[in-house]
Amino acid sequence: MSASTPTRGTAPVGLSKGEARTYASYARPAWQRWLLTRETAVILLLAVVFVWATSSVPNFDGPLTLYYLFLDLMPILLIALPMTLVIITGEIDLSVASTVVLTSAVTGLLTVDAGWGFGQAALVAIAVGALCGLFNGFLVGYVGLPSLAVTIGTLALYRGIAVGLLGTEAKTGFPEEWTDRVKERIGETSYPQVLVVFGVLAVVFVLLLHFSGFGRGVYEIGLNDEAARFSGVDVARTKLLLFVLAGAVSGLAGVYYTLRYDLARGDAANGLELQVIAAVLLGGVSIFGGRGALHGVVAGVLLIGVISSAMRLQGETENVTTIVIGLLLIASVVTPSLLSWVSGRLPAGVKGASARSRRT
Amino acid sequence: MSATLAPPSTGGAPSGSGAPGAGGRVRAALGHALRSREIAVAVVLVLVVAAATARNDSFLLSGDGWRDLLLTPSILLLLAAGQMLVIVTRSVDLSVGSTMALTAYLTGRLFIDQPGLPIPVVVLAGVAMGALLGVVNGVLVAYAGVPALVITLGTMYVYRGAMLSWAGSDRITADQMPKDFLSLGTSSLVGIPVLTILALLVVAAVGYYLHTARSGRELYAIGSDPDAARLYGLKVPTRVLTAFVLCGALAGLAGVLHAARYGSVSSSVGNGIELQAVGAAVIGGVAIFGGSGTVWGAAIGAVLLVTINRALPILGIPEFWQRAVVGALILGAVVLDRLLAARRARRLDEERED
């Protein structure tokens, strides 16, 4: 076995009928290809939940709800962008939350202890994040190690370095002009200004994934990395670049985290990596790679945000929200298999219509 | 990974594996031992313990030191053994931490609500609860054909949320549990803590099962090539379900023992321990994509992980750097695996050319 082939994601036991790893059927009319997708389903669900919350959850339509919703979701929204690309290549990055903590620690040490200007410190932090990603990407892309194992290692390593640098201390007292800037709103609306940063990044990632040759390569790798190599995609370099992007964006999220809570400490962002991955998968990205789109992922993140925010306003505890999100994640991946199992038992006439649901 | 298991060439193998002579056999056994990952990790473990003892001899030689050395790893040992069973089939179980939390709380709850219940029944109830949660994971993974990473990520949230809603702000404390049960967590038999003996027995049983039982061998076959296993006629879904049920049962037992060992159950039991269990298996040489590795390796990996955490402060490294060392250890193990596999593949290539 060559050095780079065994890096398939946690390949499942059920994936052997060969139905999952193909492009969408281009035999279908365009409107069906566009509308009958996982992404549409998530967006519809988001719309339904949003309408329900606005109409029947008290205070959901208040001016503060969306504002805090976006502030709270921002790290997940940001990191979900590069994570989508990483998962579409069939890899995974579990080290993003640790990168957030490490870069937050770097920001704290440089600004509070060393007296740097915050702008410079933030740039260094983002560079540190990119470096973390570079290390992951080198081991996965060029050494050919499984990303699951590598990033479990760097998950411990990066957070370990952050805790080692900070000890039990927490850095606080960041310049107020910066901490205020994070919380400012766009004009008189209830949207925070940081949404603009997310918007710009989202456009960049959409162009990169859906409208560039590089993005086609990302899908190729996820569908079959050997075929991708033969068709001229530089598999190792693509993976390296995606991990660097994931690291750099996590660095940005780390800077945001620091400012939002005016705090840099070693136990921040615990479990954030799994929240990001859950949101990405809920948004219709296949863990096997080769399938998924950014509009679905953004809808997936927002869906989680709206559900938790609405349930909190209804007086439900965090725990119930956790259960609902877990069930939603399971349902979203089990439904296609369930549909195809059902369609297998239906008479032949109905089969054509339901066979499409076998994809995903 | 499966390709490296190719049979050795017949012509003039220099390794001496074909020679039946006594000297050749000893040399082959020695060579095997030197290549064995389990022994390599065990050597590192012995070195760590030796270095820590040299610095401060109470690490090993005092009564407390000896007890802690054996007792502390026992819970991660159980989780790593279960995780290894699942990883061998090319899956992963991220829900073990939440399963453990649920059974730990169930244990405390049973003692409070049913004071007369004998201890073995409570232990069995915890194991059964864990197994039941494992059935849920296993059915979803094996029969719905959905990757284990996604399913167990989902059930990790569901189980944790269920535990938190059930427990509310309750915290079970030592005085709510019977003394006999708590002494299970601290008492020793001929100098060895009971929990350690229990964990080692479980590991031995799992090892024996994987090594000898037909269904145990089939787990390896499924992990190295699921398609081939199915074509060969193995009952892939049933076996995968078995692996998840066993993993859940072991996580359940770990939860019960956690309650006994620490005497209290809070909502944060088992938080983040799932990745430690995977890390222990990886350090012990269990391939993350299934098909190879032993439960001994995972067990020694778990002991090393826990022991290194305790040894670092004694070795003069501030405890804050523990996690970084653990991360470096996992990365080192993964890189080492790749180097060894590449060397083995090269040697097989050379032999073919001869």
Side-chain angles (χ1 to χ4, degrees):
Chain A
M1 203 170 268
S2 82
S4 44
T5 38
T7 50
R8 178 89 292 121
T10 350
V13 184
L15 186 86
S16 56
K17 295 157 207 142
E19 67 217 9
R21 312 192 57 78
T22 52
Y23 281 112
S25 163
Y26 279 81
R28 289 189 288 144
W31 68 268
Q32 285 189 1
R33 287 204 310 272
W34 283 98
L35 290 181
L36 299 180
T37 60
R38 279 282 299 277
E39 285 75 29
T40 320
V42 179
I43 292 173
L44 273 181
L45 190 59
L46 171 65
V48 168
V49 173
F50 187 79
V51 169
W52 163 77
T54 322
S55 62
S56 58
V57 177
N59 299 328
F60 188 83
D61 51 358
L64 287 179
T65 310
L66 282 183
Y67 172 71
Y68 279 109
L69 189 146
F70 282 119
L71 279 188
D72 289 347
L73 274 186
M74 195 47 65
I76 302 183
L77 272 174
L78 287 173
I79 303 173
L81 295 173
M83 184 69 88
T84 305
L85 274 66
V86 169
I87 295 184
I88 289 178
T89 62
E91 303 292 348
I92 200 161
D93 188 351
L94 292 172
S95 71
V96 285
S98 302
T99 309
V100 167
V101 173
L102 179 56
T103 51
S104 169
V106 168
T107 326
L109 289 170
L110 290 181
T111 334
V112 179
D113 287 7
W116 287 34
F118 189 84
Q120 289 157 299
L123 285 181
V124 171
I126 294 172
V128 168
L131 211 62
C132 291
L134 188 73
F135 185 58
N136 286 333
F138 172 74
L139 289 179
V140 173
Y142 286 94
V143 186
L145 300 175
S147 55
L148 189 62
V150 167
T151 56
I152 283 186
T154 51
L155 166 110
L157 180 66
Y158 297 158
R159 192 180 281 274
I161 295 176
V163 175
L165 290 173
L166 287 174
T168 48
E169 279 180 78
K171 306 283 173 209
T172 180
F174 291 91
E176 251 173 49
E177 48 162 334
W178 283 86
T179 50
D180 287 347
R181 196 171 297 178
V182 161
K183 299 188 184 83
E184 263 168 42
R185 296 157 184 261
I186 307 173
E188 297 292 300
T189 60
S190 56
Y191 302 103
Q193 278 188 354
V194 279
L195 263 185
V196 177
V197 178
F198 168 73
V200 171
L201 266 182
V203 170
V204 170
F205 274 94
V206 166
L207 289 177
L208 192 64
L209 179 61
H210 296 299
F211 298 95
S212 77
F214 179 84
R216 293 321 303 167
V218 169
Y219 283 99
E220 287 287 349
I221 294 171
L223 290 168
N224 186 335
D225 59 355
E226 212 155 330
R229 190 171 310 117
F230 282 119
S231 55
V233 179
D234 190 335
V235 176
R237 199 183 59 195
T238 307
K239 286 183 180 172
L240 178 83
L241 194 63
L242 292 184
F243 276 97
V244 170
L245 283 175
V249 174
S250 303
L252 182 66
V255 172
Y256 169 80
Y257 220 93
T258 317
L259 291 177
R260 162 96 160 87
Y261 300 103
D262 190 16
L263 197 65
R265 54 186 288 176
D267 59 355
N270 250 337
L272 180 72
E273 67 277 345
L274 295 182
Q275 285 176 22
V276 172
I277 292 168
V280 169
L281 298 177
L282 187 62
V285 176
S286 160
I287 190 83
F288 307 129
R291 228 202 77 77
L294 279 168
H295 60 286
V297 169
V298 173
V301 180
L302 292 179
L303 180 60
I304 288 180
V306 170
I307 290 178
S308 16
S309 162
M311 294 188 81
R312 196 175 323 132
L313 285 171
Q314 281 212 314
E316 296 286 359
T317 53
E318 194 105 343
N319 322 326
V320 182
T321 316
T322 311
I323 298 181
V324 169
I325 289 170
L327 287 177
L328 205 61
L329 178 61
I330 296 172
S332 77
V333 288
V334 171
T335 317
S337 312
L338 206 66
L339 285 179
S340 78
W341 182 79
V342 170
S343 79
R345 327 220 127 201
L346 291 178
V350 205
K351 258 188 188 166
S354 47
R356 276 172 220 122
S357 57
R358 295 179 83 93
R359 224 170 22 82
T360 310
Chain B
M1 260 150 261
S2 47
T4 54
L5 299 175
S9 68
T10 44
S15 59
S17 57
R25 207 177 300 153
V26 169
R27 214 178 322 140
L30 197 69
H32 181 71
L34 286 179
R35 278 195 303 271
S36 148
R37 177 56 163 283
E38 290 78 12
I39 292 178
V41 182
V43 167
V44 175
L45 176 63
V46 170
L47 287 179
V48 169
V49 173
T53 314
R55 264 303 176 91
N56 178 353
D57 54 12
S58 69
F59 185 75
L60 179 65
L61 301 177
S62 74
D64 275 353
W66 170 250
R67 206 194 62 174
D68 282 351
L69 183 71
L70 294 174
L71 194 56
T72 328
S74 51
I75 287 167
L76 189 62
L77 207 64
L78 291 173
L79 293 176
Q83 192 66 257
M84 181 268 163
L85 278 166
V86 172
I87 294 182
V88 146
T89 67
R90 209 182 270 200
S91 294
V92 69
D93 188 348
L94 295 180
S95 70
V96 288
S98 305
T99 302
M100 189 182 147
L102 261 176
T103 55
Y105 189 73
L106 174 81
T107 308
R109 204 68 261 166
L110 280 178
F111 280 128
I112 295 170
D113 297 342
Q114 315 278 336
L117 224 51
I119 293 171
V121 174
V122 175
V123 174
L124 281 181
V127 174
M129 172 94 166
L132 197 70
L133 298 175
V135 169
V136 175
N137 287 333
V139 165
L140 286 171
V141 171
Y143 294 100
V146 181
L149 188 76
V150 191
I151 289 295
T152 57
L153 181 59
T155 51
M156 177 188 102
Y157 283 122
V158 175
Y159 297 167
R160 174 70 62 180
M163 186 265 180
L164 292 175
S165 340
W166 187 20
S169 53
D170 268 15
R171 190 192 158 87
I172 290 172
T173 51
D175 54 320
Q176 290 168 305
M177 289 188 273
K179 281 216 169 50
D180 290 346
F181 178 70
L182 294 175
S183 74
L184 191 71
T186 46
S187 64
S188 296
L189 213 67
V190 289
I192 303 172
V194 176
L195 286 197
T196 313
I197 297 176
L198 209 59
L200 289 179
L201 282 179
V202 167
V203 168
V206 172
Y208 185 76
Y209 163 74
L210 276 176
H211 201 69
T212 57
R214 185 191 171 117
S215 58
R217 302 309 302 168
E218 289 181 3
L219 293 183
Y220 283 97
I222 292 167
S224 42
D225 194 334
D227 291 344
R230 188 173 294 104
L231 287 175
Y232 188 70
L234 303 187
K235 294 179 199 141
V236 176
T238 320
R239 294 286 169 262
V240 172
L241 177 61
T242 312
F244 272 96
V245 173
L246 288 175
C247 179
L250 290 182
L253 183 61
V256 177
L257 297 192
H258 185 280
R261 162 94 170 87
Y262 296 100
S264 72
V265 180
S266 70
S267 58
S268 65
V269 172
N271 248 346
I273 209 171
E274 56 278 338
L275 294 181
Q276 274 188 47
V278 178
V282 168
I283 289 176
V286 178
I288 197 87
F289 291 121
S292 82
T294 63
V295 74
W296 323 119
I300 301 173
V303 176
L304 180 62
L305 249 177
V306 173
T307 307
I308 254 189
N309 270 343
R310 294 186 42 244
L312 282 183
I314 296 173
L315 295 174
I317 302 170
E319 55 181 323
F320 305 124
W321 290 95
Q322 285 169 4
R323 253 208 273 220
V325 173
V326 167
L329 205 65
I330 296 176
L331 286 175
V334 182
V335 172
L336 185 73
D337 273 349
R338 171 49 45 86
L339 289 179
L340 292 179
R343 222 183 66 178
R344 210 160 37 215
R346 203 166 48 236
R347 186 167 311 147
L348 286 170
D349 272 352
E350 279 165 11
E351 283 176 14
R352 195 183 308 147
E353 278 159 19
D354 282 347

